[in-house]
Amino acid sequence: MKKVAYLAAALSVTLAACSPAKDNNESTASTADGNKNLYSLVDGAESRLDIYTPFTLTSDLSGFSENQKKMIAKLIDAAELMNDLFWRQAYPGDKATLLSAVKGDVREFTRLNYGPWDRLNGDKPFLTGFGEKPAGANFYPTDMTKEEFEAADFAGKTSLYTLVRRDENGKLYSIPYSEAYSEQLQKAADALREAATYAENKAFANYLNMRADALLSNDYQKSDFAWMEMQDNPVDIVIGPIETYEDQLYGYRAAFEAYVLIKDKVWSEKLAKYAQYLPELQRNLPVSEEYKAETPGSNAQLNAYDAVYYAGHANAGGKTIAINLPNDEEVQLEKGTRRLQLKNAMRAKFDKILVPIANQLIVPEQRDNITFNAFFANTMFHEVAHGLGIKNTLDGKGTVRHALKEHASALEEGKADILGLYMVTQLFEKGVLTEGKLEDYYTTFLASIFRSVRFGASDAHGKANMVRFNYFADRGAFSRNAEGQYSVNMAKMREAMNSLSNKILTLQGDGDYQGAAELFAKMGVINDTLRADLERLKDANIPVDITFVQGKQQLGLAE
């Protein structure tokens, strides 16, 4: 049962949502929002306030011209606007009122979570006066049931880029993001267009103008194609409504986010050779032919970057350290995808989190197998693996994403993880991947499960890791000694890797919603032994994730 204060908030939001000129964040403050004395930490939440460790995002801009620096500053201006847009999608209340009612570390924790729910603790409320987070966040009316939604018939019902609201008669309808958020999207578009005037790379300038158009038109595919056609731009920005993880009701709606990136040319050149092997790896996937009949685009790009700004969904809770985009299935099949490895953020997680975890949970004799090169490769091939497998169900009824609904994101992350390890194995044995030993990649992979499983059941990556941990445990892929330390069994891990790959690809190709639900219900749980081991990490003060000190000042671009 939801708390009274939260029900009052939901009622206020729902009534406000009846006006097509407003989205929920423009409503009058709710009863809960209006009582500034209401908000205090729930029991046990104080220990969560220090689960993030700070890391400064910066990069060497000494080789850039003054115009390029002005361009980067404008890209950050555009990215910053995604923060407030994501707040409006994630939280069915008033951001300013909520933040004014909390102070100090609690306010900062609220900012990190874009609301009163702890993203790395199963979305549990950490402030009094709030019940469970709506599964549909603020994409749908908070009182809407699945039965009501599925019975309704209206334009834009399953669109990536619309909000679902009620009209004056209570009927459901959709409103495009470009209309609901027109004022801020116009500001973001203006910033991108001004950045384009400073760009020295013509293809990048063209992309910025097209992406600005997309923000205002709700049509993102043309700019996705333009983004795929860029090859040598030293600066990049990923911006707009992109991932659907925030919509845990259906996985239909995309959330606003942004990354501003500086290319690491040396590391990017090292990665370029791997893309040519994608067709061969697709053909050799451990699954029946019909589940790998699609051919990934041949224009796949692998590059490494310094991230200098994260915003919106990208900055909420656990931080992404690699990107595989675009998500549009048509663009993927025609052009492939771009895989962006965020090397500086990746290094921060390796040094500050993964190595300390390994020192606690991996047997001493295998700790030397925990290497940054293996962590980088496993993460990179996770993103590459998103392009493998199947995007459309075998029955011809549509995409895997629509068939699996709210389970699609977590299953796709599970696929990418396990196929990433499969790709590492194949390329290592072909002599293409030459750094270290295969044991390095497998042991680092196991340690990474412990890192990601701490993200909790509300996070798609965390949920996927719980499934994989339990699946591996059942098949003896690792063992645990009396001291609570884990060791990899190379042969059994390989067997488990192949059988789990087969299972996930089959679920996706069949569009098997019930099968995916059963997999997560059975395997997507933390058992008592693992929970106790994760508590040891907490007792050792190992952070769960990183948070960023970032902006123009950190780059020497402050006006």
Side-chain angles (χ1 to χ4, degrees):
M1 183 70 69
K2 295 181 179 179
K3 296 182 179 179
V4 173
Y6 184 73
L7 285 175
L11 178 60
S12 173
V13 166
T14 301
L15 292 174
C18 290
S19 171
K22 296 182 178 181
D23 79 336
N24 288 6
N25 252 268
E26 295 168 331
S27 66
T28 303
S30 66
T31 300
D33 282 338
N35 184 352
K36 292 188 178 183
N37 296 320
L38 178 64
Y39 302 130
S40 59
L41 289 171
V42 302
D43 291 343
E46 187 172 2
S47 66
R48 301 281 301 168
L49 299 182
D50 62 353
I51 64 171
Y52 296 92
T53 186
F55 178 73
T56 299
L57 291 181
T58 188
S59 188
D60 180 8
L61 302 184
S62 60
F64 288 88
S65 68
E66 288 305 309
N67 273 349
Q68 287 175 312
K69 291 177 182 178
K70 290 178 182 178
M71 177 188 71
I72 294 168
K74 280 297 166 185
L75 294 179
I76 291 174
D77 288 343
E80 284 178 339
L81 290 161
M82 299 300 108
N83 281 315
D84 193 54
L85 287 173
F86 181 64
W87 262 100
R88 294 168 69 177
Q89 292 181 314
Y91 174 57
D94 184 73
K95 166 192 171 184
T97 307
L98 175 63
L99 291 177
S100 70
V102 288
K103 297 180 180 179
D105 290 345
V106 180
R107 175 183 282 191
E108 181 59 23
F109 196 68
T110 306
R111 286 186 187 278
L112 286 170
N113 286 283
Y114 289 76
W117 299 284
D118 188 342
R119 291 175 175 271
L120 300 189
N121 191 29
D123 277 332
K124 293 179 182 177
F126 58 86
L127 295 176
T128 59
F130 291 93
E132 63 187 64
K133 182 180 179 180
N138 197 26
F139 297 112
Y140 309 87
T142 54
D143 65 344
M144 186 195 78
T145 65
K146 276 195 165 187
E147 291 76 15
E148 178 187 13
F149 180 81
E150 289 166 7
D153 183 17
F154 56 92
K157 179 178 175 179
T158 62
S159 169
L160 286 165
Y161 311 124
T162 66
L163 300 171
V164 176
R165 295 294 181 253
R166 294 190 185 280
D167 64 18
E168 60 274 11
N169 297 315
K171 291 184 62 177
L172 299 178
Y173 74 102
S174 69
I175 178 171
Y177 290 173
S178 54
E179 182 180 338
Y181 308 123
S182 58
E183 182 178 349
Q184 282 169 299
L185 289 175
Q186 182 65 63
K187 292 179 181 177
D190 290 345
L192 291 178
R193 290 190 177 114
E194 187 172 350
T197 66
Y198 297 118
E200 297 175 3
N201 182 290
K202 290 183 179 180
F204 188 52
N206 178 58
Y207 165 68
L208 293 178
N209 283 313
M210 293 184 71
R211 201 63 173 179
D213 292 342
L215 292 174
L216 303 180
S217 69
N218 238 37
D219 180 3
Y220 289 89
Q221 189 177 76
K222 296 183 185 69
S223 61
D224 281 344
F225 274 113
W227 189 68
M228 282 301 302
E229 289 164 4
M230 296 187 301
Q231 299 286 337
D232 56 358
N233 47 306
V235 178
D236 211 339
I237 185 170
V238 173
I239 188 168
I242 298 172
E243 303 292 1
T244 61
Y245 306 133
E246 190 70 10
D247 178 3
Q248 296 186 42
L249 191 64
Y250 283 104
Y252 290 158
R253 265 73 200 177
F256 283 98
E257 63 183 330
Y259 306 81
V260 181
L261 308 169
I262 309 297
K263 183 179 286 186
D264 184 320
K265 294 182 179 179
V266 174
W267 275 71
S268 294
E269 289 172 2
K270 290 171 60 178
L271 307 182
K273 63 183 179 181
Y274 297 124
Q276 63 183 295
Y277 294 97
L278 289 182
E280 178 184 348
L281 290 165
Q282 172 81 354
R283 290 193 298 271
N284 292 336
L285 287 173
V287 69
S288 300
E289 292 298 323
E290 62 268 29
Y291 295 94
K292 53 186 178 182
E294 295 177 356
T295 302
S298 59
N299 193 29
Q301 303 170 39
L302 303 176
N303 289 291
Y305 297 82
D306 281 336
V308 295
Y309 200 84
Y310 280 63
H313 181 265
N315 197 42
K319 307 303 187 295
T320 297
I321 52 178
I323 309 168
N324 175 65
L325 291 172
N327 287 329
D328 186 308
E329 291 89 353
E330 293 180 13
V331 180
Q332 287 185 7
L333 291 173
E334 183 173 336
K335 293 287 188 179
T337 59
R338 292 178 64 191
R339 284 82 174 202
L340 300 85
Q341 316 305 308
L342 311 186
K343 183 168 166 277
N344 56 344
M346 199 182 298
R347 186 86 219 191
K349 291 202 184 193
F350 180 80
D351 290 340
K352 291 173 173 283
I353 302 172
L354 189 64
V355 170
I357 285 175
N359 288 337
Q360 291 286 326
L361 297 184
I362 300 298
V363 294
E365 57 269 28
Q366 290 189 347
R367 288 175 192 166
D368 286 345
N369 296 124
I370 307 295
T371 69
F372 180 70
N373 282 333
F375 182 57
F376 185 94
N378 287 344
T379 305
M380 175 180 65
F381 286 111
H382 165 103
E383 299 304 330
V384 173
H386 279 300
L388 299 184
I390 192 164
K391 303 297 178 184
N392 298 290
T393 58
L394 296 180
D395 62 10
K397 293 183 179 179
T399 65
V400 171
R401 176 171 55 83
H402 273 87
L404 298 185
K405 302 178 183 179
E406 73 271 22
H407 302 304
S409 292
L411 195 64
E412 176 64 20
E413 292 305 325
K415 179 203 83 173
D417 276 329
I418 202 67
L419 290 190
L421 188 62
Y422 156 81
M423 294 175 74
V424 163
T425 304
Q426 295 293 309
L427 293 175
F428 191 89
E429 293 182 344
K430 284 175 64 69
V432 177
L433 193 61
T434 58
E435 294 177 324
K437 300 173 291 186
L438 191 57
E439 287 83 353
D440 296 346
Y441 300 91
Y442 278 50
T443 309
T444 302
F445 188 87
L446 175 60
S448 296
I449 293 178
F450 295 120
R451 181 185 68 85
S452 293
V453 80
R454 298 173 82 200
F455 291 169
S458 66
D459 178 270
H461 300 78
K463 190 181 297 184
N465 274 274
M466 283 186 268
V467 168
R468 189 164 52 261
F469 179 87
N470 289 316
Y471 192 94
F472 278 12
D474 286 351
R475 284 154 182 78
F478 55 78
S479 58
R480 181 180 182 274
N481 66 20
E483 286 74 39
Q485 299 166 338
Y486 293 77
S487 60
V488 171
N489 181 309
M490 291 291 292
K492 290 184 178 180
M493 182 175 276
R494 183 167 186 155
E495 292 171 3
M497 172 189 74
N498 287 330
S499 63
L500 183 56
S501 298
N502 182 288
K503 185 175 186 65
I504 290 176
L505 290 169
T506 302
L507 287 171
Q508 289 184 320
D510 291 346
D512 187 352
Y513 176 87
Q514 187 60 38
E518 291 173 357
L519 177 67
F520 287 117
K522 180 181 179 181
M523 294 282 186
V525 295
I526 298 178
N527 61 39
D528 291 341
T529 300
L530 178 58
R531 184 175 291 107
D533 290 334
L534 296 179
E535 281 296 315
R536 288 161 49 205
L537 303 180
K538 179 179 176 183
D539 293 341
N541 295 317
I542 298 173
V544 177
D545 208 65
I546 53 179
T547 185
F548 298 123
V549 181
Q550 60 178 355
K552 288 186 263 186
Q553 182 175 352
Q554 281 67 40
L555 294 168
L557 300 177
E559 298 175 357

